[in-house]
Amino acid sequence: MAYKISEDCISCGACEAECPVSAISEGDGKYEINPDVCIECGACADTCPVGAPAQA
Ligand code: SF4
Ligand code: SF4
């Protein structure tokens, strides 16, 4: 199951740089993960300071 970024996201951008498949992009008010590209590695969750990415 792909990771999803919750409303807790503060748009710091840290996860975008860590994603090995460039599945993360800046969205409207928070960052977003393209579920068709995410390989569920968990790097974004490990990097996020507020724990926003989680498996849906
Ligand atoms: Fe990218 Fe891995 Fe996060 Fe999926 S789980 S969005 S592949 S960093
Ligand atoms: Fe949002 Fe966390 Fe990604 Fe920063 S690292 S952009 S707070 S999901």
Side-chain angles (χ1 to χ4, degrees):
M1 210 179 300
Y3 277 70
K4 195 172 189 301
I5 294 174
S6 78
E7 299 298 328
D8 292 340
C9 173
I10 56 172
S11 294
C12 72
C15 59
E16 183 179 19
E18 293 300 318
C19 181
V21 293
S22 299
I24 304 174
S25 59
E26 191 170 7
D28 186 16
K30 69 180 187 67
Y31 274 62
E32 296 173 341
I33 294 171
N34 182 339
D36 296 330
V37 179
C38 176
I39 57 170
E40 302 159 38
C41 72
C44 52
D46 290 342
T47 303
C48 182
V50 297
Q55 275 185 306

